[in-house]
Amino acid sequence: MHQLMSFPDFSASDAHVQWQRFNNLLWYHNDLGIWLDISRMHINAEDFERLGPRFDQAFKAMQALEQGSIANADEQRMVGHYWLRQPQLAPDQEVRDHIAKEIDLIETFGSNVVNGLIKAPNGKQFTDVLWIGIGGSGLGPLLMIRALQNAEQGLRFHFFDNVDPDGMSRVLGNLGDALSTTLVVTVSKSGATPEPHLGMEQARQRLEEMGGRWSGQAVAVTMLNSQLDQLAQKESWLKRFDMFDWVGGRTSITSAVGLLPAALIGCNTRDFLAGAAQMDEATRVPDLHSNPAALMAAAWFVAGDGLGRRDMVVLPYRDRLEVFSRYLQQLVMESLGKRLDRDGNVVHQGLAVYGNKGSTDQHAYVQQLRDGVDNFFATFIEVLEDIENIPAINNEHPGDFLDGFLQGTRAALSQGGRQSLSISMRRFDPRRLGALVALFERAVGLYGELVNINAYHQPGVESGKKAAAAILNLQSRVEALLADGVDRSAGEIHQVIGEGSEEAIFWIMRHLTANKRGYVAEGDWGIPTSLRFSKG
């Protein structure tokens, strides 16, 4: 590891200063072949000195978290995603054994499906996977597939990661008759989340309409004894895998949520876990100068004045990592976007994340990054080793151009005084993806400690779920009222029901009348108060 020395303050134009900062601030892991460079961020020596005491506390908090303290105090839960790649760290033997057993089961099941030892009910080999999950239960698997699957390797993947009827229709249409040889995996930690349940019901009905046998193709990934787990046990589903109470959705990629998709494409899950474990070791070092996650968290903190005043623009220069910015949106924003700190103060913390892949970004929003509002910092991610089956033609190597575009964009941003950090990997494979994910997980945890927020709950998400449930309940009451065939305005409906709002009722009726459910509206849609609704 590189030991930090004194270094000059940031300069947008002095190449000598930039080179000196690059040398002094560069972190490198020889075995993983990963570099982290924060030298183009506006973080200076005095910031390291100022943040030192905060990081001393943050390191202690992370150590306590890994040892099984109640890190998520609001929900009285431990936070144990680090144990998933190093079970020996778990606080008791039962948990250690459970983690190790699940990894073995996933690996064996995936291998048996891919190799045709486990077949579909019709006796044919499984060809496809329909993965049903929302949030981290969808984004993590999508990242695994897009980042790691090679052509003609493993099963083809399809996703229900929303309750959009058109999206479901397209996925089922693309599957067609192959649904009969499709493994259907439903992921829900609680087993009661509406989105995966709705997706599961749609897939089940379509499969059974084709004459398929659901239980012979259905797999559940959920907590032991959840509603979903009980259903899977009752109906003797093909397989069940456990989720753990102490793992949140956004950090579940090293659990069955990420390992099962990897196994089903013939990917080495042990390498993925090993990479995450190696990065965990590197980011466990209680020294700001030599801990890459701490360096990132410090750079984020200084860039946004500890208040999230700058967005993170994620620019991976590798198609396999195109989904990574979406994955980080949940990991970072759901973890850090909090109204209250741990002391109950209103702080409205957060760090907005968006991104695209390089060099596509050259033709998209780099124009604004270079010349527009200076309210961001860029995170460049590159892979040095190019694939060998794309040759140079007329002495032109595509990988050279990709590297040139990255360096050019980085230089152009620096010249304009715009901030960026860079992550470089010698090669990309399951091990490096595991390390990359673990790096950001720890950086998020440390940043949460710096700003004194609970990075492991999501009260805003829960509020949204409750509000959605209230709307669905209101819709049921509206439909029950209109069953009498009497036409009413939104105001009259609201007056009778006595809950919700006229605007919410207008939204509900606008949706109902747009579909063939027997509801009609008379009046001017541009003047909501003129409308009268009824069921014909």
Side-chain angles (χ1 to χ4, degrees):
M1 305 301 173
H2 190 89
Q3 181 62 41
L4 183 77
M5 298 175 287
S6 61
F7 58 93
D9 286 354
F10 174 84
S11 171
S13 58
D14 190 322
H16 177 72
V17 167
Q18 290 174 351
W19 175 240
Q20 188 174 346
R21 282 174 60 88
F22 180 77
N23 277 275
N24 293 155
L25 289 169
L26 185 67
W27 177 90
Y28 174 62
H29 193 291
N30 184 59
D31 190 48
L32 284 170
I34 295 179
W35 292 259
L36 170 69
D37 165 36
I38 65 165
S39 66
R40 299 295 176 99
M41 297 291 284
H42 295 183
I43 185 169
N44 298 316
E46 63 181 19
D47 297 311
F48 278 81
E49 184 176 355
R50 175 171 57 92
L51 290 174
R54 288 198 190 207
F55 271 100
D56 289 341
Q57 293 302 312
F59 291 136
K60 290 177 182 176
M62 294 301 291
Q63 182 180 28
L65 178 150
E66 287 196 303
Q67 291 173 348
S69 69
I70 302 298
N72 183 355
D74 298 68
E75 299 175 0
Q76 284 299 295
R77 287 177 176 169
M78 298 183 292
V79 175
H81 52 276
Y82 297 108
W83 309 334
L84 295 170
R85 46 265 198 166
Q86 285 185 290
Q88 65 271 25
L89 295 177
D92 64 68
Q93 191 61 46
E94 183 179 355
V95 174
R96 294 180 208 123
D97 293 343
H98 194 172
I99 296 169
K101 179 184 175 183
E102 284 297 307
I103 295 170
D104 290 341
L105 289 172
I106 291 165
E107 191 173 54
T108 300
F109 178 77
S111 176
N112 287 343
V113 170
V114 170
N115 294 323
L117 298 178
I118 295 177
K119 289 183 167 59
N122 60 9
K124 296 181 180 180
Q125 190 164 342
F126 281 109
T127 59
D128 297 77
V129 176
L130 175 54
W131 191 276
I132 304 172
I134 194 75
S137 298
L139 283 169
L142 182 63
L143 174 62
M144 297 296 284
I145 298 305
R146 295 286 179 84
L148 298 177
Q149 187 167 28
N150 296 318
E152 307 302 322
Q153 179 187 26
L155 278 64
R156 297 183 294 266
F157 263 73
H158 314 263
F159 290 86
F160 276 1
D161 56 3
N162 200 356
V163 289
D164 176 11
D166 183 61
M168 291 180 177
S169 176
R170 291 175 65 191
V171 170
L172 292 172
N174 288 335
L175 274 167
D177 292 340
L179 187 58
S180 64
T181 53
T182 295
L183 197 69
V184 184
V185 183
T186 304
V187 188
S188 176
K189 181 177 176 180
S190 68
T193 307
E195 294 94 333
H197 174 76
L198 290 166
M200 180 188 74
E201 291 296 308
Q202 290 293 326
R204 181 171 191 158
Q205 178 168 306
R206 183 67 61 92
L207 177 64
E208 291 177 343
E209 286 174 351
M210 294 173 58
R213 183 165 62 87
W214 172 259
S215 62
Q217 298 177 224
V219 174
V221 180
T222 186
M223 284 206 308
L224 191 65
N225 294 322
S226 71
Q227 291 181 26
L228 178 61
D229 188 56
Q230 291 176 30
L231 178 65
Q233 291 185 59
K234 178 182 177 182
E235 297 182 345
S236 299
W237 286 17
L238 180 61
K239 196 69 178 175
R240 297 159 31 239
F241 294 103
D242 290 343
M243 297 181 75
F244 303 101
D245 179 66
W246 34 263
V247 176
R250 58 186 174 273
T251 55
S252 64
I253 196 169
T254 49
S255 74
V257 173
L259 299 184
L260 182 56
L264 291 170
I265 59 171
C267 177
N268 192 322
T269 56
R270 304 280 177 170
D271 279 357
F272 176 68
L273 292 171
Q278 269 192 288
M279 185 57 75
D280 287 343
E281 291 287 350
T283 58
R284 203 171 279 129
V285 175
D287 175 43
L288 171 56
H289 301 158
S290 54
N291 180 323
L295 289 171
M296 280 213 308
W300 298 351
F301 185 91
V302 173
D305 299 323
L307 299 170
R309 288 175 173 158
R310 289 183 183 274
D311 302 340
M312 182 194 305
V313 183
V314 182
L315 300 173
Y317 278 67
R318 187 65 55 161
D319 285 1
R320 286 182 180 270
L321 287 170
E322 182 179 8
V323 175
F324 193 56
S325 60
R326 288 174 56 194
Y327 178 80
L328 288 182
Q329 280 179 333
Q330 185 187 19
L331 175 63
V332 175
M333 296 174 72
E334 193 171 73
S335 297
L336 301 181
K338 302 295 161 66
R339 187 174 77 90
L340 302 176
D341 67 13
R342 285 178 172 141
D343 299 322
N345 301 309
V346 177
V347 291
H348 293 296
Q349 274 289 348
L351 184 56
V353 179
Y354 62 95
N356 200 352
K357 66 179 181 181
S359 65
T360 300
D361 64 281
Q362 301 288 134
H363 307 282
Y365 46 69
V366 162
Q367 170 61 37
Q368 175 166 315
L369 299 186
R370 175 60 175 78
D371 295 339
V373 181
D374 185 9
N375 64 346
F376 71 94
F377 62 90
T379 298
F380 293 104
I381 303 174
E382 70 166 339
V383 178
L384 302 179
E385 185 177 87
D386 296 326
I387 195 164
E388 294 180 352
N389 65 2
I390 297 296
I393 299 177
N394 297 324
N395 203 33
E396 292 181 334
H397 296 263
D400 293 351
F401 283 80
L402 192 64
D403 178 69
F405 287 135
L406 186 154
Q407 288 201 50
T409 303
R410 177 174 177 268
L413 293 182
S414 289
Q415 289 165 7
R418 308 305 168 93
Q419 301 184 57
S420 70
L421 61 85
S422 302
I423 298 168
S424 302
M425 293 176 279
R426 191 178 299 282
R427 63 182 59 87
F428 186 74
D429 54 21
R431 190 165 155 230
R432 275 74 193 180
L433 179 62
L436 187 64
V437 167
L439 173 61
F440 277 90
E441 283 179 349
R442 183 81 67 168
V444 165
L446 289 170
Y447 187 94
E449 296 298 330
L450 294 182
V451 298
N452 191 34
I453 54 98
N454 180 354
Y456 307 105
H457 71 342
Q458 48 282 332
V461 176
E462 299 305 321
S463 295
K465 290 179 180 178
K466 290 177 183 177
I471 290 294
L472 291 170
N473 179 65
L474 177 62
Q475 178 174 323
S476 296
R477 298 198 60 186
V478 169
E479 292 193 70
L481 176 64
L482 293 181
D484 61 8
V486 177
D487 66 296
R488 297 177 176 87
S489 68
E492 290 168 346
I493 295 171
H494 177 252
Q495 188 174 23
V496 174
I497 291 177
E499 64 180 58
S501 68
E502 293 174 65
E503 185 175 341
I505 292 168
F506 171 81
W507 276 66
I508 289 168
M509 293 311 304
R510 184 169 58 181
H511 180 251
L512 288 175
T513 55
N515 293 278
K516 298 176 181 178
R517 302 192 202 176
Y519 295 95
V520 295
E522 293 185 2
D524 185 342
W525 280 104
I527 306 174
T529 54
S530 74
L531 291 165
R532 300 191 69 79
F533 305 101
S534 63
K535 187 168 186 180

